[in-house]
Amino acid sequence: MNILISSVGRRVKLVEAFRSELQKVNGKVIAVDCDSTAPALHFADVYEVVPRIDDLRYIDYLKKVCKKYKITGILSLIDPELSLLANYVEEFEKEGIYVIVSDKQIVETCFDKYSTSQILGSHGLPCIPTYINIEEVICDLTVGKLEFPLIIKPRKGSASIGINKVYTMEELLIYKNETEELVIQPFVNGQEYGVDCYIDIFSRKPVNMFMKKKIMMRAGETDKSISVRDNDLKQLIERLVYVLNPLGPIDIDCFLTKGGFVISEINPRFGGGYLHAHLQGQNFVKNIINNLSGVTNQLQNNEYEEDLIMVKYEDVKLIKNVLPQASEVSL
Amino acid sequence: MNILISSVGRRVKLVEAFRSELQKVNGKVIAVDCDSTAPALHFADVYEVVPRIDDLRYIDYLKKVCKKYKITGILSLIDPELSLLANYVEEFEKEGIYVIVSDKQIVETCFDKYSTSQILGSHGLPCIPTYINIEEVICDLTVGKLEFPLIIKPRKGSASIGINKVYTMEELLIYKNETEELVIQPFVNGQEYGVDCYIDIFSRKPVNMFMKKKIMMRAGETDKSISVRDNDLKQLIERLVYVLNPLGPIDIDCFLTKGGFVISEINPRFGGGYLHAHLQGQNFVKNIINNLSGVTNQLQNNEYEEDLIMVKYEDVKLIKNVLPQASEVSL
């Protein structure tokens, strides 16, 4: 069995985890990215440089790569590509290739912070109040339903890019004419948690649920985290999964506030902090291989040690003779 | 021979390089940091958790650690500690411990962006015009000696924290009353280069000079770089070293502008991108061991291949049973 991972970027350790698990079943991991210097490309069994995901030829390239390497399953590591791939699930399936992605509607809801809060709110799930209308914000500030500081961020952003904290009405009004692609939220003062889940593709049940406190962030990613088990959080995530019905690996961010846990973000893919779960034996990679082999995964919840700290650090690699960019070659 | 590296933080690969070189001479690397979860601690032969460098007990702790592990040489990886250690060079030397740090005056000049530009300018070395007086900025804008956009940043900052780009006089005037700890510079539009040098402690000559173009930055650090050789840049750095007279590892940032290379920053320590030089055989770690053994290093300039790309990526480690914080123990 060969698996293709697209938009691999810097996620070397995840690609290595796939490589190591696939070796056990005589399979290979094929990595693709539009940038020939993406570090993770150079740790796969094979790599190909493809066009950017917004290039019209992208899906055709992907199909050709799948054919060339007899791919059984595809998964992507970045949000914008989830939406794209969700459109082509059936087309790929016709060729015997399974795309590990949640339904298009789920993927698009999760990518949009406003839609996320709307769907959570409509199902009574605790979430951060999220505004797209500045008049509503002003109104709620006036009646005391909302307080400064506020957080303004892109509706569809990631990696903590473009996040601004706003302390006064004057500062808020600067955004008056540019709120279309922004959301406004109260600043939440609470311990942040991350939960990595694997939703079995056949049973649609969360067979793994790994909970961690985030103890240090860096460039929008969790730099240090500590494993925890919390029954309230577990129940909240189970309710969320029941409502959302996603599949495969999924990563959920939460805050613990005075009023309990609130959900702040959902990423229906491998989260940047997944490796903590993996190092503690929550092997989603093996789950994927099982599912692609037609095997249903059994419940593995909470079978991990608490209070283990995961730290991230930088490693380096020298690369030469990179493959040319996709625009210069034809497959 | 045992070497102590302080404030090791995330610099796992550098600690590993020391460990590997010291093994060859039956030596050990002892790492210290105030944070018991600093990743690099957990890759040294031995680690100790020490107070913060601004704690009055810090130097005493360091001395005790040196005694405990029979340390021959100390070096630090962060700027604020260089100044501190430079004050205690003689005290450590009395106990037979060599502190690898440039003279106090050099260290303080380099840590202060305004002083850096003053010393470079006074020796006719090309640098970025740097202001601490907003009236002077306005004056030079008026007479056309300076143009928007401008960059405003902390005089003594690092890791790209607190850097703001300013496009208009209105925005500039916001900083009118808070310029004391800030510098104002024109925005330089040019390819950025980094140079890693090793200045031999005995000959005071740059025995290594590794030049690289920075091709991608992330959180203030070079994420991807490509090795180059450039004679103009080499000559500029030689003039700089002659003027400054630093010692040990040193890292210099430059921009290539229409008018040639200009120096933007000098770090008299191992730079964050040093590993590129190391991977291409410019082994400053071995140089340090030679120097600490009383051996003078020979010139090794320019003996490396061009166009090799170094990429950084994240690795992870699970840690448990960390040593308690220094405040809780006595050595």
Side-chain angles (χ1 to χ4, degrees), chain A residues 67-79:
Chain A
K67 204 162 186 177
K68 186 171 171 189
Y69 297 104
K70 301 187 180 65
I71 297 297
T72 304
I74 303 182
L75 75 159
S76 170
L77 302 183
I78 60 165
D79 294 323

Side-chain angles (χ1 to χ4, degrees), chain A residues 66-119:
Chain A
C66 287
K67 204 162 186 177
K68 186 171 171 189
Y69 297 104
K70 301 187 180 65
I71 297 297
T72 304
I74 303 182
L75 75 159
S76 170
L77 302 183
I78 60 165
D79 294 323
E81 191 177 6
L82 298 179
S83 286
L84 177 69
L85 289 183
N87 287 326
Y88 293 93
V89 167
E90 286 179 17
E91 266 194 47
F92 277 98
E93 242 167 44
K94 273 181 204 155
E95 316 208 9
I97 302 151
Y98 190 83
V99 186
I100 300 152
V101 70
S102 294
D103 290 345
K104 185 169 175 62
Q105 204 195 329
I106 299 168
V107 165
E108 301 218 317
T109 299
C110 295
F111 192 33
D112 179 334
K113 291 179 179 64
Y114 182 67
S115 305
T116 302
S117 78
Q118 292 293 100
I119 194 147

Side-chain angles (χ1 to χ4, degrees), chain B residues 24-303:
Chain B
K24 297 176 191 166
V25 295
N26 270 324
K28 284 194 161 62
V29 54
I30 286 79
V32 302
D33 199 285
C34 65
D35 176 359
S36 62
T37 67
L41 286 180
H42 304 273
F43 290 83
D45 290 297
V46 187
Y47 78 86
E48 294 275 356
V49 181
V50 293
R52 287 170 53 96
I53 62 165
D54 53 9
D55 188 308
L56 291 174
R57 302 167 301 163
Y58 183 68
I59 292 292
D60 281 340
Y61 259 88
L62 220 50
K63 281 187 189 163
K64 282 180 189 162
V65 174
C66 286
K67 205 161 185 176
K68 185 172 172 187
Y69 297 104
K70 301 189 179 65
I71 297 297
T72 303
I74 303 182
L75 74 159
S76 171
L77 302 183
I78 60 165
D79 295 323
E81 192 177 2
L82 298 179
S83 286
L84 178 68
L85 289 183
N87 287 326
Y88 292 93
V89 167
E90 286 178 19
E91 266 193 48
F92 277 98
E93 241 167 44
K94 274 181 203 154
E95 316 209 7
I97 302 152
Y98 191 84
V99 186
I100 300 153
V101 68
S102 294
D103 290 345
K104 186 167 175 63
Q105 203 196 331
I106 298 166
V107 166
E108 300 218 318
T109 300
C110 295
F111 192 33
D112 178 335
K113 291 179 178 65
Y114 182 67
S115 305
T116 302
S117 79
Q118 291 294 99
I119 195 147
L120 294 174
S122 71
H123 288 89
L125 288 162
C127 61
I128 302 175
T130 302
Y131 299 77
I132 47 170
N133 181 327
I134 206 162
E135 275 78 28
E136 254 181 76
V137 173
I138 294 169
C139 181
D140 282 1
L141 282 166
T142 315
V143 300
K145 248 183 88 179
L146 196 59
E147 270 177 27
F148 287 107
L150 301 173
I151 297 293
I152 302 195
K153 54 187 172 188
R155 260 180 92 151
K156 298 182 175 180
S158 63
S160 296
I161 294 165
I163 296 187
N164 287 297
K165 204 167 173 179
V166 156
Y167 293 87
T168 64
M169 189 63 85
E170 271 179 332
E171 288 175 88
L172 175 64
L173 291 175
I174 293 171
Y175 296 91
K176 203 169 167 69
N177 297 317
E178 41 172 319
T179 48
E180 214 162 285
E181 291 306 316
L182 299 173
V183 290
I184 305 174
Q185 299 176 328
F187 174 72
V188 179
N189 209 344
Q191 170 64 50
E192 203 172 350
Y193 286 72
V195 185
D196 296 285
C197 281
Y198 189 81
I199 321 295
D200 188 79
I201 288 170
F202 299 118
S203 71
R204 291 275 175 152
K205 281 183 182 149
V207 289
N208 298 73
M209 199 184 293
F210 182 84
M211 293 168 264
K212 55 187 190 263
K213 270 191 209 175
K214 301 182 175 191
I215 54 178
M216 196 182 289
M217 302 294 289
R218 185 182 142 92
E221 278 190 23
T222 309
D223 205 37
K224 286 178 190 166
S225 50
I226 182 162
S227 57
V228 294
R229 289 204 302 264
D230 186 293
N231 214 38
D232 289 347
L233 184 55
K234 181 170 178 278
Q235 284 174 12
L236 174 60
I237 302 301
E238 281 169 348
R239 279 170 61 205
L240 172 68
V241 169
Y242 181 76
V243 163
L244 212 58
N245 198 22
L247 65 80
I250 169 166
D251 157 59
I252 302 129
D253 294 336
C254 299
F255 284 97
L256 180 56
T257 68
K258 282 175 196 162
F261 286 101
V262 295
I263 298 165
S264 69
E265 205 173 313
I266 307 161
N267 298 305
R269 55 164 170 79
F270 275 106
Y274 161 71
L275 293 164
H276 194 164
H278 194 84
L279 287 177
Q280 287 200 234
Q282 304 283 303
N283 195 338
F284 298 8
V285 177
K286 205 172 165 186
N287 292 352
I288 287 176
I289 295 170
N290 287 342
N291 276 166
L292 289 177
S293 311
V295 176
T296 305
N297 292 291
Q298 301 306 312
L299 190 72
Q300 301 159 40
N301 272 353
N302 280 350
E303 290 165 1

Side-chain angles (χ1 to χ4, degrees), chain A residues 37-57:
Chain A
T37 67
L41 285 179
H42 304 274
F43 290 82
D45 290 296
V46 187
Y47 78 87
E48 294 275 355
V49 181
V50 293
R52 286 171 54 97
I53 62 165
D54 52 9
D55 187 308
L56 292 173
R57 301 166 301 163

Side-chain angles (χ1 to χ4, degrees), chain A residues 262-275:
Chain A
V262 297
I263 297 165
S264 70
E265 204 173 315
I266 307 160
N267 299 305
R269 54 163 171 80
F270 275 106
Y274 161 71
L275 293 165

